[in-house]
Amino acid sequence: MQRKYSQELFEEAKKYIPGGVNSPVRAFKSVGGNPVFIKRAKGAHLFDEDGNIYIDLINSWGPMILGHAYPPVIEAVYQASINSFSYGAPTRMEIEMAKLICELVPSIEKVRMVNSGTEATMSAIRAARGYTQRNKIIKFAGCYHGHGDSFLVDAGSGALTFGIPNSAGVTKGTAKDTLSLPFNNLDAVKRAVNENKNEIAAIILEPIVGNMGCVPASKQFLQGLRELCTQEGIVLIFDEVMTGFRISLGGAQEYYDIIPDMTTLGKIIGGGLPVGAYGGKKEIMDCVAPIGKVYQAGTLSGNPIAMAAGYTTLRLLADNPHLLEQVNKKALAIGEGIKSNLQKLGLNYQFNQVGSMFTLFFTNTPVTDLTTAMTSDTQLFAQYFQYNLDNGIYLAPSQFEAMFVSYAISDEDIEKIIKVSYEALVKIHETKKAN
Ligand SMILES: *Cc1c(COP(=O)(O)O)cnc(C)c1O
């Protein structure tokens, strides 16, 4: 595929923006080549500046679950926008939004809106610390909770992709309050909690990790964490920024039937606009200002345009259960196709999937945590990625990310994804043999 204009734009962008991008993974650094500059999107398809079309398996990293430029969402945004973009004062729509979130997400009795997933997780651990009067938090290696200082310890997503899971600029003082443990390992958590008796404010995790590739928690692990947190007075936080409203309407907590004390949300909750939220038990959320002593605020929080896009997306999902069912069905069809390709080719690469999130790991080792994810051959992934891109399939540009399926994807798109995936696997193994 010709991508001359994208290349020119990238050169231009690099002059004014660090690395030419406003979020690191977009730079395609781990897969080589230049990023594709997107001009517009409709349904399941992205159109780049060079006139190429791609089937989108990122969907803005999750938010566009209904597909791009979904007419009812456009209409809601338009109607909100003619009343002005922002007031910095409360609105009726914020109550509707909060009510709907409380209805849908089992753990949430009260919720505060913010502007990104990063803000949601930062605020959630502050609330948990205020509530418990304790300082330390436990996170898991390979989980990503946005770019807040406390979380850039063994972080996943871009931090992992670029080999900077422990960011420069985070002070030792901050990092020492974050204990990072292996995912899916309950014994390690029990040990850490024992060694830090009455010091752990919160345990935060992605119940189905998307940010080291798709890696689900085992039910026993989540159950064990739930029991341990109850016993030790630790706030259990599910970071459902990716899984919320996707794995099921009530998120992974509904899917596993394990209820955390707090939940963080983002991505789908804004329908493509910048939104996040954190919520949970009343007694914890009532620690937040103006009624409590934990300070947290936002000039644009609950922004009317963002609420219109997010609320409409959630309302549609809630009122039409077949939407999520279809999304899952489509994703499973892709998954079946890819697994059958692997079988036909006699390959034993690991394919992890829960609902409409999945990752093909280029390793023969079952992937259950960061150590096993890291056994993947990222060179092979890069070749697989490039073949897909050149043949009109837009995958996440890193081995350590999940793909996201939208409702807009058609049977024809699904067939093409499976076919191109097959060809890509054949191609990269020819290259591998030749080497
Ligand atoms: C994307 C993500 C975040 C960060 O959200 P931003 O809106 O990018 O700040 C946090 N947690 C998880 C699980 C995510 O996937």
Short mmCIF file of all heavy atoms in Angstrom, two decimals, residues 115-119 121 144-147 206 211 239-242 267 275, ligand 1:
data_model
loop_
_atom_site.label_atom_id
_atom_site.label_comp_id
_atom_site.label_asym_id
_atom_site.label_seq_id
_atom_site.Cartn_x
_atom_site.Cartn_y
_atom_site.Cartn_z
N ASN A 115 -12.12 12.90 33.13
CA ASN A 115 -11.92 13.09 31.69
C ASN A 115 -11.08 12.03 30.99
O ASN A 115 -10.89 12.11 29.77
CB ASN A 115 -11.28 14.46 31.44
CG ASN A 115 -12.12 15.56 32.02
OD1 ASN A 115 -13.23 15.80 31.56
ND2 ASN A 115 -11.63 16.21 33.05
N SER A 116 -10.55 11.07 31.73
CA SER A 116 -9.78 10.01 31.10
C SER A 116 -9.67 8.84 32.07
O SER A 116 -9.96 8.98 33.27
CB SER A 116 -8.36 10.49 30.74
OG SER A 116 -7.63 10.76 31.93
N GLY A 117 -9.21 7.71 31.54
CA GLY A 117 -8.98 6.54 32.38
C GLY A 117 -7.88 6.82 33.40
O GLY A 117 -7.95 6.36 34.54
N THR A 118 -6.88 7.56 32.96
CA THR A 118 -5.77 7.92 33.86
C THR A 118 -6.28 8.65 35.09
O THR A 118 -5.91 8.34 36.23
CB THR A 118 -4.75 8.80 33.11
OG1 THR A 118 -4.15 8.03 32.08
CG2 THR A 118 -3.68 9.35 34.03
N GLU A 119 -7.14 9.63 34.87
CA GLU A 119 -7.70 10.39 35.99
C GLU A 119 -8.53 9.49 36.89
O GLU A 119 -8.53 9.65 38.12
CB GLU A 119 -8.62 11.49 35.47
CG GLU A 119 -7.95 12.79 35.18
CD GLU A 119 -9.00 13.83 34.79
OE1 GLU A 119 -9.81 14.21 35.66
OE2 GLU A 119 -9.02 14.23 33.62
N THR A 121 -8.20 6.23 37.54
CA THR A 121 -7.42 5.35 38.43
C THR A 121 -6.65 6.16 39.47
O THR A 121 -6.56 5.75 40.63
CB THR A 121 -6.43 4.49 37.62
OG1 THR A 121 -5.62 5.35 36.82
CG2 THR A 121 -7.17 3.52 36.71
N TYR A 144 -1.89 -2.11 33.03
CA TYR A 144 -1.71 -0.69 32.76
C TYR A 144 -2.91 0.04 33.33
O TYR A 144 -4.06 -0.35 33.10
CB TYR A 144 -1.61 -0.46 31.26
CG TYR A 144 -1.45 1.00 30.86
CD1 TYR A 144 -0.28 1.69 31.15
CD2 TYR A 144 -2.47 1.68 30.19
CE1 TYR A 144 -0.13 3.02 30.78
CE2 TYR A 144 -2.32 3.02 29.81
CZ TYR A 144 -1.15 3.69 30.10
OH TYR A 144 -1.00 5.00 29.74
N HIS A 145 -2.62 1.10 34.10
CA HIS A 145 -3.71 1.87 34.69
C HIS A 145 -3.58 3.34 34.33
O HIS A 145 -3.86 4.21 35.14
CB HIS A 145 -3.73 1.67 36.20
CG HIS A 145 -3.80 0.24 36.62
ND1 HIS A 145 -4.90 -0.56 36.38
CD2 HIS A 145 -2.88 -0.58 37.22
CE1 HIS A 145 -4.67 -1.79 36.83
NE2 HIS A 145 -3.46 -1.83 37.33
N GLY A 146 -3.12 3.63 33.12
CA GLY A 146 -2.90 5.00 32.73
C GLY A 146 -1.52 5.46 33.16
O GLY A 146 -0.72 4.66 33.67
N HIS A 147 -1.22 6.75 32.99
CA HIS A 147 0.15 7.20 33.20
C HIS A 147 0.36 7.96 34.50
O HIS A 147 1.31 8.73 34.64
CB HIS A 147 0.63 8.01 31.99
CG HIS A 147 -0.15 9.28 31.78
ND1 HIS A 147 0.22 10.45 32.38
CD2 HIS A 147 -1.25 9.55 31.07
CE1 HIS A 147 -0.64 11.40 32.03
NE2 HIS A 147 -1.54 10.87 31.25
N GLU A 206 -6.56 -5.09 36.31
CA GLU A 206 -7.47 -5.30 35.19
C GLU A 206 -7.95 -6.75 35.33
O GLU A 206 -7.14 -7.67 35.21
CB GLU A 206 -6.74 -5.17 33.85
CG GLU A 206 -6.07 -3.83 33.58
CD GLU A 206 -5.36 -3.85 32.22
OE1 GLU A 206 -6.04 -3.92 31.19
OE2 GLU A 206 -4.11 -3.81 32.20
N ASN A 211 -3.70 -4.94 28.47
CA ASN A 211 -2.51 -4.14 28.23
C ASN A 211 -1.18 -4.88 28.25
O ASN A 211 -0.12 -4.27 28.15
CB ASN A 211 -2.48 -2.96 29.20
CG ASN A 211 -3.56 -1.93 28.85
OD1 ASN A 211 -3.49 -1.32 27.78
ND2 ASN A 211 -4.55 -1.75 29.70
N ASP A 239 -9.98 -2.22 37.57
CA ASP A 239 -9.83 -1.22 36.52
C ASP A 239 -10.52 -1.78 35.28
O ASP A 239 -9.98 -2.62 34.57
CB ASP A 239 -8.35 -0.94 36.26
CG ASP A 239 -8.14 0.11 35.18
OD1 ASP A 239 -9.14 0.55 34.58
OD2 ASP A 239 -6.97 0.50 34.94
N GLU A 240 -11.73 -1.29 35.05
CA GLU A 240 -12.54 -1.79 33.93
C GLU A 240 -12.61 -0.76 32.80
O GLU A 240 -13.62 -0.66 32.11
CB GLU A 240 -13.94 -2.18 34.42
CG GLU A 240 -13.91 -3.29 35.47
CD GLU A 240 -14.88 -4.43 35.14
OE1 GLU A 240 -15.01 -4.78 33.95
OE2 GLU A 240 -15.49 -4.94 36.10
N VAL A 241 -11.54 0.02 32.66
CA VAL A 241 -11.50 1.03 31.59
C VAL A 241 -11.69 0.34 30.23
O VAL A 241 -12.38 0.86 29.35
CB VAL A 241 -10.20 1.84 31.66
CG1 VAL A 241 -10.01 2.69 30.41
CG2 VAL A 241 -10.22 2.76 32.89
N MET A 242 -11.09 -0.86 30.07
CA MET A 242 -11.26 -1.59 28.81
C MET A 242 -12.46 -2.52 28.84
O MET A 242 -13.18 -2.66 27.86
CB MET A 242 -10.03 -2.44 28.51
CG MET A 242 -8.99 -1.72 27.70
SD MET A 242 -7.60 -2.81 27.32
CE MET A 242 -6.59 -1.66 26.38
N LYS A 267 -12.83 4.83 28.21
CA LYS A 267 -13.05 4.31 26.86
C LYS A 267 -14.54 4.28 26.45
O LYS A 267 -15.07 5.32 26.12
CB LYS A 267 -12.34 2.97 26.71
CG LYS A 267 -10.83 3.18 26.94
CD LYS A 267 -9.90 2.08 26.52
CE LYS A 267 -8.47 2.57 26.54
NZ LYS A 267 -7.62 2.05 27.58
N VAL A 275 -13.60 10.73 28.31
CA VAL A 275 -14.35 10.56 29.56
C VAL A 275 -13.76 9.41 30.37
O VAL A 275 -13.26 8.44 29.81
CB VAL A 275 -15.84 10.24 29.28
CG1 VAL A 275 -16.61 10.12 30.60
CG2 VAL A 275 -16.48 11.32 28.42
C1 LIG B 1 -6.65 2.85 28.52
C2 LIG B 1 -6.56 2.40 29.94
C3 LIG B 1 -6.32 3.31 30.98
C4 LIG B 1 -5.98 4.75 30.72
O1 LIG B 1 -7.02 5.46 30.15
P1 LIG B 1 -6.67 6.82 29.36
O2 LIG B 1 -8.02 7.34 28.96
O3 LIG B 1 -5.79 6.44 28.23
O4 LIG B 1 -5.99 7.72 30.33
C5 LIG B 1 -6.38 2.84 32.27
N1 LIG B 1 -6.63 1.55 32.54
C6 LIG B 1 -6.86 0.65 31.56
C7 LIG B 1 -7.17 -0.75 31.92
C8 LIG B 1 -6.80 1.05 30.23
O5 LIG B 1 -6.99 0.15 29.28
#
